[in-house]
Amino acid sequence: MEDLAGLDIAKLTDAGKAWSAVSNCGGGARDFVDQGMRGRLAATQQGEGAKAALEKLGLLSDNYQYIHVECGMIHTLLQGLAEELALPQRSLKQALEDAHKLRFTVKEDGSVEYPRSPTTPSPLLPKPAQSTGSPSLVKSSDPNEAKAQVIAERIGAALKEAAEIDNRYARALSMLKTDGNLKNTDWSDVARDQRGVQTAAGKHFSESGIPKGKSPKENADWWARLSQERKEEYLAVHPELIGKMNGLPSGVRDQANRVVLAGARVDLEERIRDLYKKEPVHYQPRYNNATGLPTGAKDPTAAWLKWEEERKALEEKISGIDAIRQRFDRTGQESLPDAYLLDFDTKKLGHAVIANGNPDTAEHTAVYVPGTTAKLGKADGDIKRMTALWRAAATMPGSPSVSTITWIGYDAPQSAYPGHNGDIFPEAASESYAHKAAPALRQFLDGVQTAQGGPDASHTTVIGHSYGTTVVGATSMDRGLGADDIISVASPGMLVGHANELDAPKGHVWSEAASLSKDLVTVGGKIAFLGGNSNPSGRATDWVTQQVPSDWGFGANIMQTTAQGHGGYWDEGSVSLENQAAVVTGRYGEVKRD
């Protein structure tokens, strides 16, 4: 009781602030290593020595990030412990004050003595600490009994609440330690610690305080109003929510989503281990239909096929996570800028948004929307495309400031033609996927511009590939792009019949598409009616009257391309890639047109 009554809450708060300072130092040191050392070294030095130094700096960056995250968790726990213990301490002090006013005596064991008549048998005692419920008190006929009983119950409740809080936070704090192996920064350890922090402090730092369903501007205003300490607390306890908030600074979202990414990988690995423990019988014998006798051949069981499909999906998501982490590791190599993870989850097909360079400060921003078969498990290819575009754009004359973003933020169709992925009717023939994706893309683009400081802060280009152009078209129909330029690559159709119907300034819609002998997607889109009507008198009645961006009648700027197939538009050094880079950086005079 004396421990709770005499606890100096301010010391806990001060300790939390000290850990917060260490966390901030770790974050600042990581930024200095990434931006002030790795980038400069990669830009000026080559050879095995430089490569080895970059690897060492990468490890140092990871360790500083580990310090930043772990110390932030300690600060959050100490701050939460201080604020939660303040409540039972206040209750206890008030009960003791009330007892003093009544001239009652409260002993160290929590018993309450009061002035009583000779017939009163004994003082009132609360139940032992290990019991539950309200204290059980000895009854008497003394008139002070009821008052003493209430005080004893208040004391018991305060002590019980404080003990629960102390135990809860003690368990979480005891987990926040490292084995000291600086060569193996264990992000699975971070994920485990994260769960401990959520268990301990989740009641206190409730997600109810985080805006939901608000605009990016409202999200940004809410974040700006928070103190630095409160920001760190929300990042530590609810990174999965903070990382998804459009409008927040890219550095904040990246910090939150990296913790989510680490936890997701641990979770997927655990699910795979559990799955292997339940592997069903793989094969069943095949029988002759006429004789009923076994033929000697075997077929996979239905249960095993379902099990194998689940296993592949989990393994695929882990591959996607590893591709993202590999992009992190490449920072500084070949002059690549920092990578920012602006969104991430493993729901359904899995989603990820990765930026090369900070879009908040970039003069030119390109957002790439991939098409059919896009998902977390196939993030590697899409990340590499935007890495190639960043390099082509950033190395143009004047070294323009550029950020290129891979937006795998929707559940894309997974079959492009009959029989693909076993579908009789290809998913890519339906425009429903595009319309479902449009609100998410609109919110993301609005969030990027909000974090940049407004729609005029950066020159923004939205790039769609294949079905991704259909998503761009659907978003544009609601005037949700706010783009300075739109680039359509191998488009099956954008749901409109003319470039002027898209949400970009007149003359700022661009198209790349290889010949039909190399890429049939444009024809397939027309057959699926994903284009627009070229006949203003009514809706198109057959695929011939459909207009797609590669048609001259659509009104887009037709760019030259050297692509040899549907995925070849980002080949290093290609005309296709250089044309995109010219548009992204606003160098329209350097675009090679047909």
Side-chain angles (χ1 to χ4, degrees):
M1 185 171 63
E2 287 185 359
D3 289 343
L4 178 60
L7 177 65
D8 189 345
I9 297 292
K11 288 185 176 179
L12 284 175
T13 301
D14 289 343
K17 290 180 178 179
W19 281 105
S20 175
V22 176
S23 174
N24 290 333
C25 284
R30 176 217 169 201
D31 291 342
F32 177 75
V33 170
D34 288 344
Q35 300 170 15
M37 298 176 69
R38 295 172 75 179
R40 292 182 182 180
L41 179 64
T44 59
Q45 304 296 320
Q46 295 181 348
E48 292 301 318
K51 182 179 179 181
L54 285 171
E55 290 178 356
K56 293 285 187 182
L57 288 174
L59 177 61
L60 183 60
S61 174
D62 283 345
N63 283 323
Y64 277 134
Q65 177 70 354
Y66 183 80
I67 291 170
H68 176 61
V69 173
E70 290 283 309
C71 291
M73 291 186 197
I74 296 174
H75 156 253
T76 298
L77 287 173
L78 290 174
Q79 185 65 30
L81 177 62
E83 294 184 19
E84 286 202 51
L85 281 178
L87 298 176
Q89 184 190 58
R90 188 159 50 246
S91 298
L92 175 62
K93 287 183 175 180
Q94 187 61 57
L96 294 175
E97 183 179 342
D98 291 346
H100 177 72
K101 289 178 180 178
L102 292 169
R103 297 184 179 181
F104 292 176
T105 300
V106 180
K107 293 189 174 183
E108 178 59 29
D109 61 1
S111 62
V112 180
E113 287 188 342
Y114 52 89
R116 57 190 185 279
S117 65
T119 60
T120 302
S122 64
L124 297 172
L125 298 173
K127 276 189 172 185
Q130 66 271 21
S131 301
T132 58
S134 301
S136 178
L137 305 177
V138 178
K139 300 292 184 180
S140 80
S141 59
D142 192 288
N144 283 329
E145 177 188 9
K147 295 178 182 179
Q149 181 172 348
V150 170
I151 290 174
E153 289 175 345
R154 288 164 59 193
I155 292 171
L159 293 175
K160 178 184 176 183
E161 181 182 3
E164 186 277 327
I165 293 170
D166 183 65
N167 290 333
R168 176 160 38 95
Y169 279 88
R171 286 192 297 271
L173 282 166
S174 68
M175 296 169 59
L176 295 176
K177 55 187 178 182
T178 178
D179 60 9
N181 182 5
L182 297 179
K183 294 184 179 180
N184 184 27
T185 303
D186 191 355
W187 283 97
S188 64
D189 179 51
V190 172
R192 181 205 64 193
D193 294 343
Q194 172 66 40
R195 290 193 290 268
V197 171
Q198 290 176 335
T199 300
K203 295 180 181 178
H204 182 63
F205 300 109
S206 171
E207 64 180 71
S208 62
I210 301 175
K212 294 181 178 64
K214 302 295 184 180
S215 70
K217 178 65 166 57
E218 290 171 316
N219 291 340
D221 290 343
W222 168 79
W223 186 256
R225 289 193 299 267
L226 297 178
S227 66
Q228 184 59 35
E229 290 78 11
R230 187 59 68 174
K231 289 176 181 177
E232 292 171 4
E233 290 154 6
Y234 276 125
L235 279 166
V237 180
H238 293 297
E240 76 287 354
L241 300 179
I242 300 300
K244 285 191 168 295
M245 294 186 73
N246 291 309
L248 267 58
S250 294
V252 171
R253 298 184 70 176
D254 176 65
Q255 179 183 340
N257 286 316
R258 291 199 188 208
V259 176
V260 177
L261 181 88
R265 199 183 196 290
V266 174
D267 177 65
L268 290 169
E269 288 173 341
E270 291 177 351
R271 290 171 62 184
I272 288 174
R273 284 195 295 269
D274 291 341
L275 194 65
Y276 270 109
K277 295 175 183 178
K278 304 173 183 177
E279 183 176 3
V281 175
H282 191 165
Y283 293 108
Q284 60 186 359
R286 185 185 302 173
Y287 295 91
N288 186 291
N289 291 332
T291 65
L293 296 175
T295 64
K298 295 181 179 180
D299 294 314
T301 63
W304 186 87
L305 289 173
K306 182 178 180 180
W307 177 91
E308 176 67 358
E309 182 179 0
E310 183 177 357
R311 185 195 65 79
K312 285 183 177 179
L314 295 175
E315 293 279 8
E316 202 173 53
K317 288 179 179 178
I318 288 179
S319 296
I321 290 174
D322 289 344
I324 295 171
R325 294 170 70 172
Q326 288 167 10
R327 172 57 189 89
F328 293 158
D329 294 341
R330 292 182 64 198
T331 294
Q333 298 179 22
E334 300 176 348
S335 300
L336 280 181
D338 285 335
Y340 292 80
L341 186 59
L342 303 180
D343 198 0
F344 175 83
D345 65 61
T346 58
K347 298 175 182 177
K348 296 183 179 179
L349 297 174
H351 311 97
V353 180
I354 309 98
N356 295 294
N358 189 346
D360 297 359
T361 58
E363 296 175 2
H364 304 278
T365 306
V367 179
Y368 163 70
V369 183
T372 306
T373 74
K375 54 183 173 180
L376 174 60
K378 294 187 176 181
D380 185 47
D382 291 319
I383 292 173
K384 288 178 178 177
R385 287 174 178 176
M386 285 304 97
T387 300
L389 179 58
W390 180 89
R391 187 176 291 109
T395 55
M396 296 196 79
S399 300
S401 169
V402 180
S403 176
T404 57
I405 302 173
T406 300
W407 189 78
I408 311 174
Y410 76 113
D411 292 311
Q414 295 300 298
S415 56
Y417 47 83
H420 185 202
N421 286 351
D423 291 333
I424 298 176
F425 300 101
E427 294 178 349
S430 171
E431 63 183 63
S432 63
Y433 294 87
H435 289 299
K436 289 178 182 177
L441 180 58
R442 179 173 60 250
Q443 284 287 305
F444 175 74
L445 291 169
D446 188 5
V448 169
Q449 293 187 347
T450 297
Q452 289 172 337
D456 298 325
S458 179
H459 168 245
T460 302
T461 303
V462 179
I463 305 170
H465 176 227
S466 191
Y467 193 88
T469 66
T470 312
V471 174
V472 173
T475 310
S476 190
M477 291 170 72
D478 295 330
R479 315 309 293 177
L481 284 182
D484 297 297
D485 286 284
I486 296 173
I487 299 178
S488 166
V489 181
S491 175
M494 299 185 75
L495 306 179
V496 297
H498 197 275
N500 291 344
E501 299 178 59
L502 297 173
D503 190 16
K506 187 175 181 179
H508 286 264
V509 176
W510 308 78
S511 174
E512 284 185 344
S515 63
L516 294 182
S517 62
K518 299 172 183 176
D519 193 343
L520 287 169
V521 166
T522 55
V523 173
K526 288 183 178 182
I527 294 174
F529 280 80
L530 295 180
N533 187 7
S534 61
N535 180 3
S537 63
R539 180 172 175 80
T541 57
D542 56 58
W543 71 271
V544 177
T545 59
Q546 290 276 296
Q547 290 276 22
V548 298
S550 55
D551 292 328
W552 286 103
F554 188 83
N557 298 293
I558 306 298
M559 299 190 289
Q560 293 180 17
T561 177
T562 52
Q564 297 301 304
H566 191 57
Y569 298 89
W570 291 271
D571 290 346
E572 296 281 354
S574 67
V575 172
S576 310
L577 181 61
E578 295 299 326
N579 276 338
Q580 290 184 46
V583 173
V584 167
T585 56
R587 298 175 178 273
Y588 307 119
E590 298 180 24
V591 176
K592 295 180 174 64
R593 311 186 185 208
D594 272 345

